[in-house]
Structure formats: C-alpha cells, structure tokens
Amino acid sequence: MDTKISIMEENQIDYEAVKEAAKVIKDGGLVAFPTETVYGLGANALDANAVKKIFEAKGRPQDNPLIIHVSSKDIKELVKDVPEVAESIMERFWPGPLTLIFEKSDIVPERTSAGLKTVGIRMPSNPIARELIKTSKVPIAAPSANISGRPSPTEVSRCIEDLNGKIEYILGGECSEVGVESTIVDCTVDPPCILRPGAITLEMLKAIDERIYIDPAVMEKPKKGLKPKAPGMKYRHYAPKAPLKIIDGDIKKTIAKINEMVQNYIDGGKKVGIIATDETFEFYPQGEIISLGSRNNLEDVAKNLFEVLRIFDDKAVDIILSESFEEKGIGIAIMNRLKKSAGFDIIKV
Ligand code: TXA
Ligand code: MG
C-alpha cells in the first residue's frame, strides 16, 4: 500500500492535509497522527472493520483494547454513565495526557474494547490530533503507532519506520512533548484506580480524590495471582532489540557497577549502550553513552526515553545498561516503562 505522508512544522496545522487524513478515517482506513503523549495509529472507533485493521497493522494481540480519542468532553454517546469523580477529573485534566475507563455504550464495537464491557476515552491536547478528530466527525480509536512490542514513537520518523506501506496516511507534527503514554484511570471502580502511570501523576490525581491508588500489579514483575487490570500492561513492551538491565541504588554505586559491567562486556567483545543522565554522563569512560536529560527535570527524561531506546536499536548495541530514577511524580511512569523494557531485570547496588 502507498502511504501518504504530510509533515507539519511546529504543529502549524495544514488543514488540507488534515482534511485528507480525516477522509481516510471516515472511509475506514488508518492514519498515524501526533499526540502530546506518543504518536497514535487511528481508525474510526465505531467501525469494527476499520478497527480490525489497526490490530493487523501493528501485530497487536486481539485481547488488548484500544483507547478512544475524542475532541470534546461530551462523551455521553460512548458511555453508560459518567461518575461524579470522573467529571471532576475530566474538568481538571482534559484535554491532556489522561485516559478514563467507563462502562461502554452499545455503539462501541466489541472489537474496539477487545470484548470488555468497559472503554478507555481520552481527549488529547495536541491541536493536530484534535483537528483530525473534529474533521473526521467520529471518535478515533488509537493505540501507540508502533509495531507491537517496540518502543512507542515520539517522532514522526519512527512512525514511518514502523508503518510506512502498511497504512493509508501518516500525519507528522512536532515530537511528542510528554513522551510516555497517557495515565489511565479506571472510573468504573470506587475508589478510582490508576491502571497505567503517566504525566498526570498519582499526586495530581489525589488532589481530586485522595483515595485514588495505583494498581499494585503495575510496578512489579508479573507473577501468579497479581494480574494487571489493563490487559496491555501484562505484555513485554517498549522493548529495545538488545536486552536492557537497570542498575538501581545509590548513584555513586550505580556508576561504579555500570563501569564494571561495561568493562566485562567490552572484554567479551560486546557493544554496550549506557542510559545516563546529564549529571552522570561524564563518569562513564567507555561504551555508547546517551543522556536522558537532567535528573532535575524528569519531564525531559520522560520525553526522551522511548527515542533513546530506539537510537540504541539503530546503533545495534548488544546490551543496554540503565541508571534508575526515583519513583515519585512522573518518575513512577518513567520507571514503569523502563522496568517493562528491561523485562524487570534489575540489579540492586
Ligand atoms: O497516550 C496514549 O494513551 C496513547 C496515545 C496514542 O493516545 N495511546 C496508547 O494506546 O498508549 P495503547 O493501545 O498503546 O495502550 C492502551 C492501554 C493498553 O494497556 C490497554 O490494555 C489499556 O490501555 N486499556 C484500553 N482500554 C481498556 C479498558 N477498557 N480497560 C482496561 N485497560 C484498557
Ligand atoms: Mg502501546
């Protein structure tokens, strides 16, 4: 299939391109588009055949439901009920990097919700995304625009890498400013439960309802009896091609341990990648070193994380060693993605 690609500078909306892409959506095709979290791969959420194509293009497991993207807070057609706490959360954080789970209405196909009676809905803040949804006149189901299992794309070049030739249209804008996927909050339970951590943090949500908590299965290695409530959270995910190990503990000990491991790998003829930070970068004398940004700006670290994993794919390293981050604020989302990328291979120092 020929994929049409239109790239907009600095999120300056090219209305003609958006109109073309919206037509693709209306006609049951697939469009990759920018959002503030990561790029999405969209189809008409109410068209089961169109949604089926998303699963095929990504190689996505059939039991993993999609998030529906809307351009206004009026979601009553899509859901059975909007609990009061969800109203308050939407009022405060929409548009933005936050998905809410509701009981779904009958117009949402089972294909979209992967057979669940619930559905995730999000109103993105990215202007191109919102314009696309508005112009399509349908809600858009969109997972991250990567081949299943790979790190989510935060730049249009990565969507092209994964999806060129497989979908009708790729709309490009700036790189995603948040860099990790939306926070998911299940509002069908009381108190609401965070199924996936993101840029809207636990602390921010507790200001709305202090009983809100994070699904305990999300931050730990999958084990019997502790199954994440979001189906997608159980898969090995965000994975770079090379195995990734996280070194966790006091920062000086971390650096020493990483350097010792790097030496061993190099002695064994391996090419090693190091995920460092601005503060530690200079303490690694060898290896392919990339900084995620400053430890004093974890928003930046989140923004760069997936792209750095993909750069290590490009560099074809044999192994990646990463520093870890404090699990506080957006650090919880960073560590969630990093641990899943590492398949929970964590070395304590
Ligand atoms: O930021 C985002 O949310 C991005 C952009 C494109 O908007 N989208 C995204 O979609 O991350 P995806 O498909 O890569 O991840 C969706 C996650 C999966 O873990 C899925 O299992 C969960 O949301 N999910 C969707 N619907 C659900 C539901 N009804 N109940 C529980 N979990 C749900
Ligand atoms: Mg994804």
Side-chain angles (χ1 to χ4, degrees):
M1 176 186 311
D2 267 350
T3 303
K4 172 132 195 207
I5 301 173
S6 295
I7 299 178
M8 297 168 233
E9 303 267 313
E10 300 186 349
N11 285 342
Q12 281 293 325
I13 302 180
D14 173 346
Y15 289 93
E16 276 313 303
V18 171
K19 228 191 257 171
E20 277 179 358
K23 182 159 186 318
V24 169
I25 297 274
K26 264 184 275 188
D27 292 346
L30 302 186
V31 176
F33 62 97
T35 89
E36 69 277 20
T37 55
V38 300
Y39 274 74
L41 174 59
N44 177 354
L46 306 181
D47 177 347
N49 281 326
V51 166
K52 180 165 177 261
K53 294 182 196 162
I54 294 181
F55 286 87
E56 290 164 357
K58 280 184 61 106
R60 181 178 177 99
Q62 298 286 340
D63 70 343
N64 196 1
L66 305 178
I67 292 171
I68 297 185
H69 296 64
V70 293
S71 59
S72 96
K73 292 182 191 176
D74 181 7
I75 57 167
K76 58 181 179 300
E77 290 213 315
L78 299 172
V79 304
K80 286 229 162 98
D81 172 48
V82 179
E84 216 171 288
V85 61
E87 291 275 8
S88 310
I89 295 174
M90 282 159 63
E91 208 38 60
R92 175 74 187 77
F93 298 111
W94 275 10
L98 175 85
T99 297
L100 297 177
I101 307 284
F102 300 95
E103 305 280 342
K104 81 173 189 69
S105 74
D106 294 337
I107 68 163
V108 176
E110 299 243 320
R111 180 72 75 171
T112 304
S113 67
L116 297 179
K117 296 291 168 221
T118 57
V119 65
I121 303 183
R122 155 166 134 78
M123 180 181 179
S125 63
N126 180 290
I128 298 173
R130 287 245 296 290
E131 189 62 28
L132 176 67
I133 303 163
K134 226 172 28 192
T135 313
S136 308
K137 297 198 174 68
V138 290
I140 295 184
S144 47
N146 51 282
I147 296 298
S148 254
R150 291 206 72 193
S152 302
T154 53
E155 297 191 3
V156 66
S157 58
R158 301 305 185 175
C159 294
I160 297 172
E161 189 176 295
D162 280 17
L163 297 171
N164 196 13
K166 297 197 175 109
I167 64 175
E168 282 82 0
Y169 214 105
I170 297 177
L171 275 181
E174 284 185 320
C175 64
S176 302
E177 60 191 86
V178 175
V180 289
E181 303 86 347
S182 60
T183 306
I184 302 179
V185 182
D186 185 355
C187 293
T188 68
V189 291
D190 185 53
C193 173
I194 299 174
L195 307 187
R196 179 174 72 183
I200 305 300
T201 62
L202 175 65
E203 294 85 339
M204 289 156 84
L205 287 160
K206 273 183 176 290
I208 307 270
D209 182 340
E210 63 169 27
R211 301 170 309 150
I212 293 179
Y213 65 104
I214 300 181
D215 175 5
V218 161
M219 299 305 287
E220 287 181 45
K221 191 170 177 158
K223 60 182 178 212
K224 262 206 173 140
L226 199 63
K227 196 169 138 217
K229 296 192 183 83
M233 297 298 278
K234 68 176 179 287
Y235 298 106
R236 177 160 191 239
H237 235 140
Y238 319 119
K241 288 174 186 152
L244 170 74
K245 292 177 188 288
I246 300 171
I247 291 69
D248 179 44
D250 167 81
I251 195 67
K252 280 204 177 114
K253 286 189 191 155
T254 297
I255 294 168
K257 182 70 183 172
I258 290 179
N259 279 327
E260 175 198 319
M261 291 173 74
V262 168
Q263 187 62 59
N264 286 336
Y265 283 120
I266 289 178
D267 289 346
K270 301 266 192 257
K271 186 169 175 186
V272 195
I274 303 172
I275 299 183
T277 47
D278 289 357
E279 290 77 10
T280 58
F281 190 82
E282 61 181 309
F283 300 112
Y284 299 108
Q286 47 185 354
E288 295 277 343
I289 312 151
I290 306 181
S291 172
L292 286 175
S294 169
R295 287 182 169 274
N296 298 322
N297 185 352
L298 289 186
E299 278 72 26
D300 238 27
V301 169
K303 179 175 174 165
N304 295 328
L305 179 62
F306 288 140
E307 183 54 24
V308 166
L309 295 178
R310 284 196 178 232
I311 293 172
F312 280 124
D313 283 352
D314 298 341
K315 287 178 178 290
V317 294
D318 300 303
I319 175 96
I320 306 169
L321 305 176
S322 178
E323 297 177 3
S324 69
F325 297 87
E326 193 184 357
E327 290 184 352
K328 225 174 96 182
I330 199 171
I332 295 180
I334 294 169
M335 285 309 292
N336 168 258
R337 304 311 190 275
L338 211 46
K339 284 179 184 174
K340 284 173 67 79
S341 307
F344 292 87
D345 189 348
I346 303 167
I347 298 161
K348 298 266 181 202
V349 291

